[in-house]
């Protein structure tokens, strides 16, 4: 289906066209897109809001004054939209969640069963004292109790704050205190590659360090009947409240649905808050228009629910549309490297949404694994989290999608709540290596340092130039909108995404990576500043700079390199290296531990004393350093090259 018509901006890139069989059944065809756009911004977003059931219709799509509050006057409940309305529509026996456990167990919840457990747990939370507006922290692995707890919180109007289960006790404590959260739902432990990880001990340590008392509910995942001490056992609470009915609390569109912490440009995690009406509209619409989901579909978004991707496209988006969502607790290569394909085949997955880092691992393991399974149920593939290069795009389409599944590359962020750039698979041509265009109803631009638009073909920062419904609440506060914003010469505000990009003549965007200290390693968003602050806290460390380099031993994956300069009388030895690694493990968790720690007599600096990470990144990736003459200490980079210890 490759179409060789190329254009001048990207002559080397071919267009790909979705097959007619896909286009004919797509949720959004060209006429739907046109009808959406004809309403103009922001009115077009009312089409998206119509995918939801509102308790009270909104008075306007966007407030006139600040132009930041979506659907003012509207009231709705996210749990009602994701659960009850499907039961009321006679779809109670359809599967809502199908879970694949680490040890090969499976569990399925019909919409009726999901409603039962969500109501029971909502009643239990209320009895524990959780009221509307109270923040409940969820520190759970990929088990069905996680979405159940999210929906139970949503039902009673208590914003949840999900903390990725791979984070350390310290990281959990920071998030409990920062969100002022007095309730924690966790579990005894979980399995990682067949080994049981003790989550409860981490949760207990976090509660000791939090700056207030925390009441805990503990799910028994390891099933070893360990006593829960003073805490409440999840299973007991649900059993006690079996059959309870909790009326969904009607929430204002602008009321908060959840908190989520992400890594920003500072040494501290950044708190992002999402609203009920705007967020749910955005994720339901993009699940419908981009992921092409509907009630008959089985969707698998392989991201952990601890991150925004799992919130939006493993839980809220697919459930709002009444689809079946697959949750997988394990890793893709355990017990065998064909585990994912076996799950897709057994569950008849229609739409599979994963990250390029995983696709590159699948490529390394070999095409015989997907090809050894019947994957004919798949009709759409999605990619998210980092740029997908042309080779990976084609491999994914050819070996997983049997050569004819459209592939949608989707760009977005924790702050945007849902997909902002992509192609509409029933309308647009795809261009491997380019993410696509701004979705209808979204407007973006590529700008220079002054906030002025640059010409097609020129690199600059990607900014969003108009509000969109999924925008985090935190972006709406202060003067204008956008926590990170620029006022251009004509007085306009932009939301600065922190990503660099180039727009081609067709409006397709090519993402070039972050312009700031946020990095993606194995699709996890980390802040190099946060890792550096943990390292400089180690006794004997004077300075540290963290960069991401290419891992030469794997297929284009990245690894974390820390360049550490010890104090003058301290030896950069194995003991210090271990202390550096332990400090990061303790402050953030194993996901942020540097793969390579290089001790440096000093770090490359400008004459004004600023560390130049660009040279360190080049050293870490084994790339040419180029001209180093602008450095105050150019000799140090040559020295560092020889010191890198893999
Ligand atoms: O740099 C961009 C990259 O991931 C960042 C957002 O990460 P996070 O907040 O964890 O959100 C994950 C959900 C998408 C972006 O600033 N990114 C995300 N998607 C893409 C991408 N880079 C290139 N192409 C993408 N499709």
């Amino acid at each position: 289906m490759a179409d060789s018509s190329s254009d001048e901006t990207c002559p080397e890139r071919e267009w790909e066209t979705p097959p007619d069989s896909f286009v004919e059944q797509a949720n959004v065809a060209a006429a739907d897109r046109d009808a959406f756009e004809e309403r103009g911004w922001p009115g077009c977003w009312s089409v998206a809001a119509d995918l939801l059931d509102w308790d009270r219709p909104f008075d306007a799509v966007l407030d006139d004054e600040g132009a930041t509050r979506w659907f003012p006057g509207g009231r709705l409940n996210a749990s009602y939209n994701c659960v009850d309305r499907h039961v009321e529509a006679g779809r109670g026996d359809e599967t809502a969640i199908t879970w694949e456990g680490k040890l090969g167990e499976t569990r399925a919840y019909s919409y009726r069963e999901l409603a039962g457990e969500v109501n029971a747990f909502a009643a239990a939370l209320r009895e524990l004292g959780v009221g509307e507006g109270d923040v409940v922290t969820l520190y759970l692995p990929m088990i069905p109790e996680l979405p159940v707890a999210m929906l139970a919180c949503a039902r009673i109007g208590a914003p949840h704050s999900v903390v990725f289960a791979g984070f350390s006790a310290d990281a959990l404590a920071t998030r409990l205190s920062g969100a002022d959260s007095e309730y924690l739902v966790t579990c005894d432990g979980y399995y990682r590659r067949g080994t049981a990880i003790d989550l409860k001990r981490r949760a207990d340590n976090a509660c000791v360090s939090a700056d207030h008392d925390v009441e805990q509910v503990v799910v028994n995942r390891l099933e070893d009947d360990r006593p829960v001490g003073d805490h409440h056992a999840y299973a007991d609470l649900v059993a006690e409240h079996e059959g309870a009915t909790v009326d969904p609390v009607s929430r204002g569109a602008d009321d908060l649905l959840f908190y989520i912490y992400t890594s920003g440009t500072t040494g501290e995690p950044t708190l992002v808050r999402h609203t009920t009406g705007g967020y749910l509209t955005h994720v339901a619409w993009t699940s419908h228009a981009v992921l092409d989901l509907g009630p008959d579909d089985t969707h698998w978004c392989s991201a952990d629910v601890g991150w925004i991707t799992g919130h939006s496209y493993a839980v809220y988006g697919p459930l709002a549309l009444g689809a079946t969502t697959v949750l997988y607790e394990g890793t893709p290569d355990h017990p065998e490297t064909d585990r994912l394909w076996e799950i897709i085949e057994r569950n008849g997955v229609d739409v599979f949404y994963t990250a390029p880092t995983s696709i590159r691992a699948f490529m390394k393991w070999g095409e015989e694994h997907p090809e050894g399974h019947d994957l004919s149920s798949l009709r759409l593939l999605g990619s998210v989290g980092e740029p997908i290069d042309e080779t990976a795009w084609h491999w994914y389409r050819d070996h997983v999608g049997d050569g004819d599944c459209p592939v949608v590359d989707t760009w977005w962020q924790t702050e945007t709540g849902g997909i902002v750039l992509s192609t509409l698979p029933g309308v647009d041509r795809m261009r491997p290596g380019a993410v696509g265009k701004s979705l209808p109803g979204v407007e973006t631009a590529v700008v220079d340092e002054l906030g002025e638009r640059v010409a097609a073909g020129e690199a600059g920062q990607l900014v969003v130039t108009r509000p969109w419904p999924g925008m985090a609440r935190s972006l709406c506060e202060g003067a204008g909108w956008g926590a990170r914003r620029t006022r251009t010469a004509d007085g306009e505000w932009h939301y600065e995404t922190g990503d660099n990009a180039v727009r081609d003549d067709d409006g397709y965007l090519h993402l070039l990576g972050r312009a700031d200290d946020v990095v993606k390693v194995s699709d996890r968003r980390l802040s190099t500043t946060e890792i550096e602050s943990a390292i400089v806290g180690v006794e004997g460390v004077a300075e540290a700079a963290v960069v991401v380099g290419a891992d030469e031993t794997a297929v284009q994956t990245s690894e974390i390199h820390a360049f550490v300069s010890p104090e003058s009388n301290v030896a950069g030895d194995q003991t210090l290296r271990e202390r550096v690694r332990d400090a990061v493990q303790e402050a953030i968790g194993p996901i942020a531990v540097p793969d390579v720690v290089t001790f440096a007599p000093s770090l490359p600096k400008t004459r004004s004393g600023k560390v130049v990470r660009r040279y360190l990144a080049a050293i870490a990736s084994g790339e040419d350093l180029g001209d180093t003459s602008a450095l105050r200490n150019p000799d140090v980079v040559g020295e560092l090259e020889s010191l890198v210890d893999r």
Side-chain angles (χ1 to χ4, degrees), residues 484-608:
R484 299 144 58 106
R485 52 189 185 250
T486 309
R487 191 196 271 276
T488 59
D490 52 11
E492 294 289 311
W493 294 100
H494 291 158
Y495 163 61
E496 294 181 8
T497 66
D499 275 39
N500 286 331
V502 180
R503 187 190 295 270
D504 66 27
D505 287 336
D506 303 290
Y508 277 53
L509 286 139
H510 304 243
L511 272 296
L512 305 172
R514 298 286 304 197
D516 55 17
D517 298 333
V518 171
V519 292
K520 281 300 194 74
V521 178
S522 300
D523 193 39
R524 270 83 198 256
R525 175 164 156 177
L526 301 170
S527 145
T528 53
T529 324
E530 228 174 296
I531 304 173
E532 286 162 7
S533 359
I535 298 175
V536 294
V538 173
E539 212 184 310
V541 170
E543 258 191 318
V546 169
V547 294
V548 169
D551 171 4
E552 288 155 3
T553 61
V555 192
Q556 294 171 36
T557 51
S558 29
E559 45 180 31
I560 305 170
H561 285 238
F563 290 87
V564 178
S565 169
E567 284 169 4
S568 51
N569 52 350
V570 174
D573 56 13
Q574 199 50 28
T575 316
L576 188 60
R577 185 171 278 124
E578 287 313 315
R579 280 175 37 222
V580 162
R581 291 197 162 119
D582 289 349
V584 178
Q585 164 121 357
E586 208 169 295
I588 307 173
I591 51 167
V593 172
D595 300 285
V596 183
V597 177
T598 301
F599 290 110
S602 61
L603 300 175
K605 289 188 182 156
T606 59
R607 293 204 160 77
S608 61

Side-chain angles (χ1 to χ4, degrees), residues 351-364:
V351 178
F352 182 53
Y353 190 39
T354 197
T357 183
S358 304
I359 299 167
R360 291 191 296 264
F362 307 151
M363 289 168 71
K364 190 170 97 176

Side-chain angles (χ1 to χ4, degrees), residues 45 68 81 226 255 259 287 289 410 538 548 572 602:
W45 285 104
T68 55
N81 271 282
R226 243 191 293 181
D255 287 342
Y259 286 25
S287 298
T410 61
V538 173
V548 169
S602 61

